[in-house]
Amino acid sequence: MNWVIVGQGALGSLLAVKLQQQQQTVAVLTRANAPAEPRWLDQQCYQFSAITPAELLCSQQPSTVVAAVKAYQLDALLKQLAELPTQHQLLLSYNGMLDNEAQRLPPNCLHWVTTHGAYRDAQQLVHAGAGESWLGWQQPQLKPVPAELITTLSAALPPCHWQPEIQRQRWQKLAINCLINPFTVIHNCLNGELLGLGLEAEMLQLAGEISALAGRLDGIDLLPEQLVTAAMDVATRTAANRSSMLSDVRAGRRTEIDFLNGFVARQSAQLGLTASANQLLWQQLS
Ligand code: PAF
């Protein structure tokens, strides 16, 4: 299969390397005349060909375009790829949720939700936590299961599950990020170090607010206790990982807080729900 990876982040880079290790044809989306930066994993250097947005838009070769980007980069990217011909498949992966998402996302895109933990240490990529991934259509009424895509993603970064109810998985991932990422910044620590900090009560309050919002916005039932257990489980499995938010803060980049706890606080306020714990973290980290 042909793949085009959009985004210079740790996760997209890790996927690019892992796909290339599976003998897939992988290109990286770059600006005109810019080379694709090599990626390093386990002291090995991986080179990729570069493709510009203009080249991608007129390419006849069917590709899976994976946008592993920050939520705040999505609007600009989707504008750039608005004319993406139908032979290409767009797969989105980002932390958090956007306000009015249904109106902003192309209906025929797929979501790739993942709990793999990765960060960059200078030039080196570090796959610091084996997680799992789920794939599903943005519009659940789209029925065909892209079997080859799932098999290939599963071989590259296992396991990858087909999830017809991807929105449920996205809420769970949102909760995991809302419960882990801000605390790694506040305590300046790796994911695993959160486990001994006695954060369960605070996490339960955050999870309760997220669960109430998921119910009202999407009719999805999530048990707050299970969300806390899921977050603790991810923190355990990615114990050695530096969260994406901590990496952003250390690199002086904008964080995704507006699309995580900020999203929960804003949407809850609009619906008259209380989300004081998420509001507090949003304020603290903005
Ligand atoms: O944002 C992150 O860092 C990741 O989504 C996760 C799963 C919390 C692992 O660090």
Side-chain angles (χ1 to χ4, degrees):
M1 288 176 76
N2 294 299
W3 297 79
V4 175
I5 306 293
V6 185
Q8 304 288 322
L11 207 58
S13 300
L14 180 69
L15 183 62
V17 167
K18 294 285 181 178
L19 285 168
Q20 200 179 73
Q21 286 177 344
Q22 295 295 313
Q23 279 73 52
Q24 300 289 306
T25 308
V26 186
V28 172
L29 195 77
T30 58
R31 282 189 302 275
N33 303 323
E37 299 279 314
R39 267 68 166 175
W40 290 80
L41 183 70
D42 299 330
Q43 314 300 327
Q44 252 200 286
C45 182
Y46 295 82
Q47 305 278 354
F48 299 92
S49 53
I51 184 166
T52 65
E55 285 165 346
L56 175 61
L57 293 184
C58 61
S59 147
Q60 296 304 313
Q61 189 86 272
S63 301
T64 301
V65 180
V66 184
V69 293
K70 299 287 185 188
Y72 54 80
Q73 296 171 324
L74 261 181
D75 280 339
L77 178 72
L78 292 175
K79 211 169 146 194
Q80 205 170 37
L81 299 184
E83 306 297 320
L84 192 69
T86 49
Q87 72 265 26
H88 302 301
Q89 180 61 65
L90 181 61
L91 209 148
L92 300 178
S93 183
Y94 54 95
N95 279 344
M97 290 191 191
L98 310 174
D99 300 328
N100 303 320
E101 220 167 44
Q103 282 88 62
R104 290 159 84 170
L105 301 183
N108 58 347
C109 68
L110 288 152
H111 287 282
W112 180 57
V113 178
T114 184
T115 56
H116 280 278
Y119 65 91
R120 269 170 194 265
D121 201 1
Q123 268 206 315
Q124 281 290 329
L125 271 171
V126 184
H127 186 191
E132 50 191 321
S133 310
W134 297 264
L135 199 67
W137 295 110
Q138 154 70 12
Q139 286 203 338
Q141 59 270 33
L142 293 178
K143 292 279 181 258
V145 178
E148 193 186 353
L149 205 57
I150 302 168
T151 309
T152 312
L153 283 171
S154 247
L157 262 182
C160 180
H161 319 279
W162 178 244
Q163 171 52 287
E165 274 188 276
I166 199 69
Q167 199 59 6
R168 164 174 292 277
Q169 212 64 52
R170 296 189 63 222
W171 275 103
Q172 281 177 4
K173 176 73 193 317
L174 174 92
I176 288 167
N177 286 125
C178 286
L179 269 57
I180 292 180
N181 298 24
F183 292 118
T184 61
V185 174
I186 292 168
H187 298 282
N188 190 21
C189 68
L190 299 176
N191 293 355
E193 292 173 291
L194 294 177
L195 297 165
L197 295 179
L199 293 168
E200 287 80 356
E202 249 177 293
M203 285 189 175
L204 193 58
Q205 198 189 340
L206 292 165
E209 295 171 2
I210 294 165
S211 151
L213 184 63
R216 279 288 289 279
L217 268 186
D218 281 340
I220 290 176
D221 280 339
L222 297 169
L223 287 178
E225 292 77 9
Q226 279 179 5
L227 294 178
V228 176
T229 306
M232 289 304 196
D233 183 48
V234 170
T236 306
R237 282 188 289 118
T238 62
N241 196 45
R242 188 195 302 147
S243 79
S244 54
M245 195 175 282
L246 183 58
S247 295
D248 287 342
V249 167
R250 289 198 181 161
R253 288 188 297 259
R254 178 178 174 185
T255 74
E256 295 168 307
I257 194 76
D258 290 345
F259 304 90
L260 297 173
N261 310 79
F263 170 83
V264 177
R266 276 190 315 276
Q267 295 289 322
S268 300
Q270 274 184 21
L271 293 169
L273 297 169
T274 307
S276 50
N278 282 282
Q279 172 81 30
L280 196 70
L281 286 181
W282 184 28
Q283 273 166 359
Q284 217 174 330
L285 294 171
S286 288

